[in-house]
Amino acid sequence: MLIYIIQIVLIFLLWPMHKITVTMHKKRVQGEKIYLFFIFLMLGATMSLRGVMIGSDTQVYRWIYQVIMKSDNISTALKNSTVNSAPIYVLFQYLISRLTDVEQWSIVGNSIVIASGFYWFIRKNSEHYMFSCYLFIALSLFFESMNGSRQFMAISLALCAYTFLKENIKSVKGWGLFLLAAGIHNTIIAFALVFLTKIVRKDSLVKTVVGSISVALTVAVCIKALVEVAVNIFPYFSIYLNGDNAAQIFDDTGNGRIILLYSFLLMILLVSILILNYQKKIVDKLVCYDLFAGVFCVIMGIAFSKNVLLLRIIWPFMSVLIVLLPNLFAKVDGKIKRILYTGTTVVLAVYCIWFLVEDKSGIVPYVPFWKNM
């Protein structure tokens, strides 16, 4: 657990780097960009160098990689890998296996995709890099990325796609990235619901929130039927509903933690919006996409805190919160801004430690790969 605590501390201690400016090849590089790069280099290295025992699903991915590595061609690999609904992932692993027979490179490749995607997403969307980096860890996204790495590869690409598409829904780059993401993990298709924000009023933050809650509640009412349809199409995911998966332990001991997290996030979102509305702040309309994603995430999280499948499906929506919260807080004036930052930091630090102590994702203690050799 110590390594994760050290990384959180470094996120805060290294933030003064944002004040410097470096000249490289006659180009001035802002310190905050150097800071962000360094933080994700550190996190990416942690993901890459972990042993196969770190992350509940890591050994499954190792087995899949071994099957792919022994396959004579991509067709055989796709057939034998048990993830034939993820052709892009299989192709990616197949290419790695043809470059090296060292299994650790599969984890390294996956980790590079995840770290690069989240780095780019924060760089393009966040107004406060340090707080976004902190949220990436404190909301447990970093920890879960070492568990459900294939899904987080898809999420990282989908977030990049989302960045393009919220500016231009016809973006070829955006839809291309989204299709790649879907070819890695098909649950990312649910993230397309974020574009329901088109039907939500965006002329004020309060109206956007009210509309977002209405849409989220409507989806929640229909969600049981939607889940049944999803499981019928992709039977593999039934393990998250019938108790055959160890993650179902959330049903007994994790439920309280999950509800508390999403309830707090809902509260902090509503408080931020009310303050901004009171201070008559004007927020970029693109933030409304982020706001819809954030509200949708917390409503689903509260409503389905015992459903592991649904909690996994809303991971990409939660990921949007790592830029939404800093961007909302940045618009607030006065001492209230510091209260929002400090209060959120402290509460999520408690949640983060709680998450690590329970260790439902199998990431504690951290063991590097060379200790497994």
Side-chain angles (χ1 to χ4, degrees), residues 61-355:
Y61 294 129
R62 180 191 187 188
W63 177 82
I64 291 173
Y65 180 74
Q66 290 173 339
V67 170
I68 292 173
M69 186 167 56
K70 294 174 182 176
S71 301
D72 295 328
N73 53 62
I74 187 63
S75 298
T76 304
L78 192 62
K79 179 181 178 181
N80 296 338
S81 65
T82 72
V83 286
N84 51 20
S85 62
I88 301 300
Y89 179 79
V90 173
L91 175 61
F92 182 64
Q93 298 300 306
Y94 183 80
L95 292 175
I96 292 176
S97 71
R98 290 322 180 248
L99 295 173
T100 176
D101 58 358
V102 179
E103 295 175 2
Q104 187 64 27
W105 281 105
S106 171
I107 294 177
V108 173
N110 295 350
S111 301
I112 289 174
V113 173
I114 296 168
S116 299
F118 274 90
Y119 161 78
W120 190 86
F121 176 64
I122 291 175
R123 179 173 175 175
K124 291 294 183 180
N125 292 278
S126 177
E127 294 187 30
H128 198 307
Y129 290 171
M130 183 197 75
F131 199 57
S132 289
C133 290
Y134 172 71
L135 290 175
F136 179 59
I137 294 181
L139 288 174
S140 75
L141 294 168
F142 171 57
F143 305 136
E144 295 290 15
S145 73
M146 291 189 285
N147 174 26
S149 58
R150 182 164 67 92
Q151 186 172 357
F152 269 85
M153 290 172 68
I155 291 171
S156 69
L157 292 178
L159 291 173
C160 296
Y162 167 74
T163 300
F164 288 112
L165 292 171
K166 68 179 180 178
E167 293 185 1
N168 177 15
I169 195 65
K170 297 180 181 179
S171 170
V172 175
K173 287 182 181 179
W175 286 115
L177 285 168
F178 195 81
L179 288 174
L180 283 176
I184 292 175
H185 205 291
N186 46 44
T187 59
I188 201 65
I189 295 171
F191 188 50
L193 288 171
V194 74
F195 297 109
L196 287 176
T197 192
K198 288 285 187 181
I199 67 175
V200 175
R201 294 187 64 173
K202 296 179 284 292
D203 51 342
S204 82
L205 287 173
V206 173
K207 291 176 181 176
T208 300
V209 170
V210 172
S212 299
I213 291 175
S214 300
V215 172
L217 289 175
T218 300
V219 173
V221 170
C222 304
I223 205 71
K224 185 176 181 181
L226 291 175
V227 168
E228 292 298 330
V229 171
V231 170
N232 286 333
I233 297 175
F234 310 114
Y236 168 78
F237 295 109
S238 64
I239 64 175
Y240 299 107
L241 300 176
N242 60 20
D244 292 339
N245 188 278
Q248 283 295 98
I249 198 166
F250 276 131
D251 282 356
D252 3 87
T253 60
N255 185 38
R257 168 170 56 82
I258 298 297
I259 286 182
L260 288 175
L261 171 66
Y262 286 109
S263 297
F264 172 75
L265 292 173
L266 177 60
M267 180 195 73
I268 207 70
L269 279 175
L270 295 178
V271 168
S272 301
I273 296 304
L274 290 174
I275 292 172
L276 290 173
N277 188 62
Y278 175 77
Q279 295 182 347
K280 297 182 179 179
K281 294 290 183 178
I282 298 176
V283 178
D284 191 320
K285 286 188 176 181
L286 292 179
V287 174
C288 291
Y289 281 99
D290 300 342
L291 188 56
F292 175 84
V295 171
F296 185 87
C297 168
V298 296
I299 295 297
M300 291 295 118
I302 293 170
F304 300 100
S305 60
K306 290 187 177 183
N307 189 313
V308 178
L309 175 60
L310 261 296
L311 290 175
R312 282 181 171 237
I313 287 176
I314 63 176
W315 276 344
F317 295 93
M318 175 181 274
S319 300
V320 175
L321 287 170
I322 69 177
V323 299
L324 173 61
L325 291 179
N327 292 351
L328 290 178
F329 293 176
K331 302 294 183 184
V332 175
D333 289 333
K335 295 181 179 179
I336 300 177
K337 177 189 289 190
R338 179 170 294 183
I339 294 173
L340 288 172
Y341 275 120
T342 304
T344 303
T345 299
V346 171
V347 171
L348 292 183
V350 173
Y351 171 79
C352 181
I353 298 301
W354 191 354
F355 182 95

